[in-house]
Amino acid sequence: MDSFSIVDAQGDVLHTADGRTLIDLFTAHGTVWLGHRHPDVRDALQRQLDKVWITGGYATPMVQEMRAAMNGFLPEGYLLASLASTGMEANEQALRIARTLTARNGAVGFAGAMHGKSFFTAALGWDNGDGLAIPQVHRVPCGRGVDEAQTLAEAGVRLRRGGIAAIFVEPVHATSFGWEGGPVFYQALSALAAQHGALLVYDEVLTGFHRTGPSFCFLQHGVRPDIIVFGKACGNGFPVAGVAVRDGIAIAPRMLLGSTFSNNALAAAAVKATLSCLRALEPEARVRAIESTVQQQLLPALAEGPIVLSGKGAMWILTFPTAEQAAACARAVLGAGVCIGFHNRQLRLLPPVTIAPANLRLACQKIAECCMLVS
Ligand SMILES: Cc1ncc(COP(=O)(O)O)c(C=O)c1O
C-alpha cells in the first residue's frame, strides 16, 4: 500500500509529509468524530493539562463534571459505571459486571463481531487461528448466508444449557460486511436473554454517539440492553472508552472496574468537551445528510456490479468479491486523495460528523470512480 506520513490533521483533512492533502473518511478507526484537532476539545485538554492529569482513582472535579455530562447524554434509565482506556478494556469490564451479578462464567457472542483483541473479547467474534479456544465463550454462527432464525436458535441452545452471564452484541458488524439483523431479531434475543437470566450487552464502541443516527444504535433495535459499552468517538481521539449500566444494576468494588489509567482527569476533559460539542451540532440531522450523500453518490455507480454497499448513517462498508480488488481499490482511492479504512475484502467509510458536504461529495465521487475501475 501507498506509504505516506501524516504531518498535520485539521477537521476532515489530512496533510502528508510529501505535500498531499487527503479527505479523511477513516478518522482513525472512527475516533475523530468531531474532526481532527477540534478547538473545543483541544482547549479543554489544554486547560486540564494545567491543572491535574491523573490521580489514580482519587476524586477530581473534572471526573465529577464528566460523569454528570455523560449521565445527561445517556438515554433515560442508564448511568455511567466507569471509564476505561480502550474498547477492549470496557468490554472486559462489562463481562466482569455480568459475571459478578449472575455468578456465571459463560458468554455468548456472534461470529464476525468485533469487541477487541484480548483473548476473551476476540473469541466472542472470531477465531484467533491459534487452535486455542476459551471454553466459556460460545460463538454463534451469524452474518451473511446464515439465517437470523438459525442464529437465534443457536443462541437459545447455548442459553438453555445454562451458565451464561452475558450476550454480547455488536449492533452493526462493521468489520464483517456491515451485517445487521432486523429489529425483531434483537428483540427476540433480548427476550431470550431475560428469560435465561443473562445480561444483554450492547457494544456501541463504533455505533455510539450518533454514528447511526440516534445517540445509540440500540434505540433503533427497540431493545433496552443491561449494559452499554462505548469508546472511540467519546473522546474525539483521546484514548478513552467506558461502560454504562441500566438503572438497578449496582456497581460493586468486587467487580474491579478500575485500572491504572481509567477515569483519569485528562480523558474526562476530552469526554466532557466532546459531549458538549456534539450536543450543539444537531448530529442526527448531520448524520441523515451524510447517509443520503453516500447513497446518492455511490449506489448508482455500484448498481448491478459485484461491489456491495452496506451500513447506515455515517458508517458504510464496501464489500468486494476478492481481497485483491479491495486492495487495488483502496490504493486507487488513496491515490485520488481520500483516506479510507480497508481490511480483507472490505473498505470502510467513517466520515466525521462535521465533514464539509462538498468534501463528502467529492470523496464519494472519487470512491465511485475507483470502484468502477476495479470491478
Ligand atoms: C465494535 C467494537 N468494539 C470494540 C472494539 C475494540 O476497541 P479498542 O480497539 O479501543 O480496544 C472495536 C475496535 O475496532 C470495535 O469496533
Side-chain angles (χ1 to χ4, degrees):
M1 191 57 62
D2 205 3
S3 79
F4 55 82
S5 170
I6 297 161
V7 291
D8 186 79
Q10 176 107 51
D12 55 13
V13 166
L14 306 171
H15 298 282
T16 68
D18 57 0
R20 293 162 62 199
T21 297
L22 302 172
I23 300 172
D24 193 6
L25 299 196
F26 174 51
T27 57
H29 304 281
T31 56
V32 194
W33 184 215
L34 302 170
H36 291 275
R37 271 206 279 144
H38 191 285
D40 294 4
V41 182
R42 180 202 55 205
D43 291 351
L45 279 166
Q46 275 175 353
R47 281 193 301 275
Q48 195 59 40
L49 276 170
D50 286 336
K51 290 181 181 156
V52 52
W53 298 7
I54 184 162
T55 55
Y58 284 107
T60 60
M62 183 46 76
V63 169
Q64 277 170 335
E65 289 165 29
M66 176 280 302
R67 189 171 280 279
M70 181 59 82
N71 287 340
F73 178 86
L74 288 166
E76 177 112 26
Y78 289 92
L79 289 172
L80 177 68
S82 176
L83 291 187
S85 300
T86 67
M88 170 193 85
E89 187 191 358
N91 273 306
E92 293 273 0
Q93 290 188 351
L95 179 69
R96 278 190 168 278
I97 296 171
R99 286 177 52 149
T100 308
L101 286 174
T102 60
R104 299 175 181 173
N105 252 331
V108 167
F110 296 92
M114 171 64 178
H115 298 290
K117 292 181 182 166
S118 64
F119 283 115
F120 161 69
T121 54
L124 283 168
W126 34 277
D127 195 336
N128 276 296
D130 54 11
L132 302 173
I134 301 182
Q136 292 87 357
V137 174
H138 306 279
R139 189 166 58 240
V140 167
C142 180
R144 291 189 197 289
V146 185
D147 203 42
E148 283 179 18
Q150 185 192 337
T151 300
L152 262 182
E154 297 251 4
V157 168
R158 304 297 178 176
L159 285 159
R160 273 191 293 280
R161 279 187 204 148
I164 301 297
I167 304 181
F168 281 75
V169 170
E170 184 189 12
V172 179
H173 284 193
T175 39
S176 192
F177 312 111
W179 182 83
E180 181 182 16
V184 171
F185 169 81
Y186 296 103
Q187 288 157 21
L189 194 64
S190 172
L192 261 179
Q195 187 187 342
H196 294 281
L199 271 62
L200 183 64
V201 180
Y202 255 60
D203 176 348
E204 300 254 11
V205 165
L206 196 46
T207 48
F209 304 95
H210 296 284
R211 169 76 59 189
T212 68
S215 56
F216 291 92
C217 191
F218 74 80
L219 297 166
Q220 291 171 318
H221 290 172
V223 295
R224 283 187 64 77
D226 300 291
I227 303 180
I228 310 167
V229 176
F230 58 85
K232 295 197 193 278
C234 71
N236 202 46
F238 194 94
V240 56
V243 179
V245 294
R246 70 163 163 70
D247 267 350
I249 291 185
I251 298 303
R254 68 203 163 100
M255 291 169 181
L256 298 179
L257 297 196
S259 63
T260 299
F261 296 113
S262 61
N263 299 299
N264 72 76
L266 279 178
V271 171
K272 184 186 164 213
T274 301
L275 293 178
S276 140
C277 294
L278 206 48
R279 208 179 266 289
L281 271 177
E282 298 195 15
E284 294 195 38
R286 284 174 182 263
V287 166
R288 270 197 303 279
I290 290 172
E291 176 171 294
S292 78
T293 302
V294 170
Q295 288 180 321
Q296 277 165 23
Q297 298 293 326
L298 292 184
L299 284 177
L302 304 178
E304 290 169 38
I307 305 167
V308 177
L309 179 70
S310 43
K312 61 185 181 182
M315 167 175 191
W316 294 91
I317 294 103
L318 287 160
T319 302
F320 290 71
T322 67
E324 291 70 28
Q325 281 171 307
C329 189
R331 256 194 310 275
V333 169
L334 278 168
V338 181
C339 186
I340 36 88
F342 73 97
H343 166 69
N344 197 359
R345 292 198 289 124
Q346 300 161 82
L347 261 55
R348 198 162 73 169
L349 318 180
L350 296 166
V353 68
T354 50
I355 192 164
N359 276 354
L360 181 62
R361 261 195 314 278
L362 179 63
C364 289
Q365 281 160 13
K366 300 278 182 204
I367 292 169
E369 286 163 19
C370 296
C371 283
M372 286 195 281
L373 276 181
V374 302
S375 59

